[in-house]
Amino acid sequence: MSTASLRAGVIGLGAMGRNHARVLSTLEGVELVGCSDPLVTDQRVSHGSPIHTTVEDLVAAGLDYAVVSCPTALHEEVGLYLAEQGVAALIEKPLAHSDEGARRLVDAFESQGLVAGVGHIERYNPSLQSLRERLSAGDLGEIYQVVTRRQGPFPARIADVGVVKDLATHDIDLTAWVTGRAYLSVSARTSRRSGREHEDMVAVVAELEQDAIANHLVNWLSPLKERSTVVTGEKGCFVADTLTADLTFYANGAITSEWETMRNFRGVSEGDMTRFAISRREPLLVEHERFRDAVLGVGDDIVTVRQGMRTVEVSSAVLRSAQDGTTVSVSSALPA
């Protein structure tokens, strides 16, 4: 890696923005030169760097790149300004509030030749990185199904989007990424059990390329916090727990049961269970290392804005399906 020092800033000092500032304040090869948030003045949350009231003042301090962690509704406006000013950007997920906004951001950064990424942090979870490597190596054989469960209490920090754009986008992105397969269609149902403006529960059934199916169960209504991804295929199934960064493989047994009734009931025989030893590094730190390297031109392992746009398109299709009670085609959304 180059020893050049990049000048970085953080826009928005909510819960996620403060974490970005924490990581950037100690990231090798990067100097956190400032943050912007009109409602925050406590320099402890920006680790001693200046806090500006406007994005314009922060950019005027001289930035190579900025992390955009303001509310989703502001992503497009802030991102377009950064692109206009020639500043690279790591934009928190979802990339934008709408399909059209996401496309405008893609056009803006690509036309300027700027590095721009989306903060789909689950891609840097050790269990999912290991899972993707093993799927790519054919350890599971043909992939049949991906099932994700992402549930927990309502986060008070989220006010401008529902559970689909805030949480389900994690599962949409990681499913396309670990399998390398596009979403072809989605059918979904949502509910608003807590009385808020936006949906707080969603169930999705999706068709992926090569006859695979996906199921996503996501909510803000459970006292149990769960982050599970199960991929089933011809050789068994992988179970990734992204809260603990554990990955387990349940193999189909090589020995067929002689008990005909039991064999017919199970469909496959039970084999060995393997829990993999995985090096555990903080996903947010890894995400920042990869983005820094991309800005320096020595790496490309980031979630691009074009990939982030495709995830927004699928999430919008989920909301349309729930609203209309129909299955919605998303064949334009290629795998990330």
Side-chain angles (χ1 to χ4, degrees):
M1 187 193 74
S2 169
T3 58
S5 180
L6 297 171
R7 294 172 61 84
V10 176
I11 300 168
L13 287 171
M16 199 64 206
R18 297 179 188 197
N19 276 320
H20 283 298
R22 170 181 59 82
V23 171
L24 285 172
S25 68
T26 60
L27 186 63
E28 181 182 358
V30 175
E31 178 187 2
L32 178 61
V33 298
C35 303
S36 72
D37 193 309
L39 303 178
V40 177
T41 58
D42 186 353
Q43 288 192 330
R44 289 177 297 178
V45 303
S46 64
H47 297 269
S49 66
I51 300 177
H52 304 276
T53 57
T54 69
V55 175
E56 291 79 4
D57 288 343
L58 175 60
V59 171
L63 297 180
D64 293 302
Y65 73 92
V67 176
V68 179
S69 54
C70 53
T72 302
L74 299 176
H75 285 187
E76 180 184 356
E77 175 185 347
V78 172
L80 292 177
Y81 177 74
L82 293 173
E84 179 184 311
Q85 298 300 310
V87 178
L90 174 59
I91 302 172
E92 261 304 333
K93 61 83 200 163
L95 173 60
H97 195 271
S98 66
D99 295 2
E100 296 76 17
R103 293 182 193 117
R104 285 189 286 268
L105 285 169
V106 170
D107 291 342
F109 282 102
E110 289 186 350
S111 66
Q112 295 289 336
L114 293 167
V115 174
V118 185
H120 282 290
I121 194 171
E122 290 283 48
R123 289 206 194 184
Y124 304 98
N125 188 287
S127 63
L128 292 178
Q129 292 209 325
S130 180
L131 172 59
R132 184 174 188 256
E133 291 173 1
R134 296 176 191 280
L135 293 179
S136 297
D139 291 1
L140 191 61
E142 184 182 354
I143 296 171
Y144 299 155
Q145 182 183 51
V146 181
V147 176
T148 68
R149 295 193 305 273
R150 187 175 299 270
Q151 58 182 344
F154 178 75
R157 61 185 175 84
I158 303 299
D160 61 339
V161 293
V163 75
V164 171
K165 289 289 177 75
D166 182 65
L167 279 190
T169 48
H170 280 305
D171 297 304
I172 292 166
D173 178 74
L174 74 85
T175 296
W177 178 67
V178 299
T179 65
R181 299 181 182 186
Y183 280 76
L184 299 180
S185 66
V186 294
S187 180
R189 295 295 182 271
T190 59
S191 68
R192 293 170 175 79
R193 295 290 184 177
S194 57
R196 297 182 178 91
E197 176 186 358
H198 301 287
E199 78 287 344
D200 47 31
M201 176 181 289
V202 64
V204 182
V205 177
E207 178 190 7
L208 307 177
E209 288 181 319
Q210 301 177 42
D211 295 325
I213 59 176
N215 304 85
H216 307 308
L217 300 176
V218 189
N219 73 65
W220 276 327
L221 301 173
S222 172
L224 167 68
K225 187 172 183 180
E226 183 180 28
R227 303 287 186 268
S228 172
T229 299
V230 180
V231 184
T232 302
E234 64 176 320
K235 297 181 181 180
C237 75
F238 281 101
V239 179
D241 184 331
T242 55
L243 286 178
T244 61
D246 287 327
L247 180 65
T248 306
F249 180 59
Y250 297 84
N252 289 342
I255 301 175
T256 302
S257 170
E258 295 182 2
W259 186 3
E260 186 70 23
T261 302
M262 184 62 71
R263 184 176 67 223
N264 291 339
F265 174 74
R266 293 184 179 180
V268 298
S269 57
E270 295 176 357
D272 295 332
M273 181 187 75
T274 305
R275 183 171 177 268
F276 297 100
I278 301 173
S279 175
R280 290 168 170 81
R281 300 184 68 223
E282 182 185 4
L284 187 62
L285 173 60
V286 177
E287 179 181 71
H288 274 284
E289 289 174 345
R290 299 295 185 269
F291 191 77
R292 172 203 61 197
D293 293 349
V295 174
L296 289 171
V298 295
D300 60 1
D301 183 15
I302 67 171
V303 185
T304 67
V305 285
R306 185 167 289 276
Q307 292 167 350
M309 176 188 71
R310 291 164 180 162
T311 297
V312 171
E313 291 173 344
V314 176
S315 67
S316 295
V318 167
L319 290 172
R320 289 197 303 274
S321 172
Q323 178 179 338
D324 300 339
T326 60
T327 298
V328 176
S329 172
V330 288
S331 57
S332 63
L334 301 176

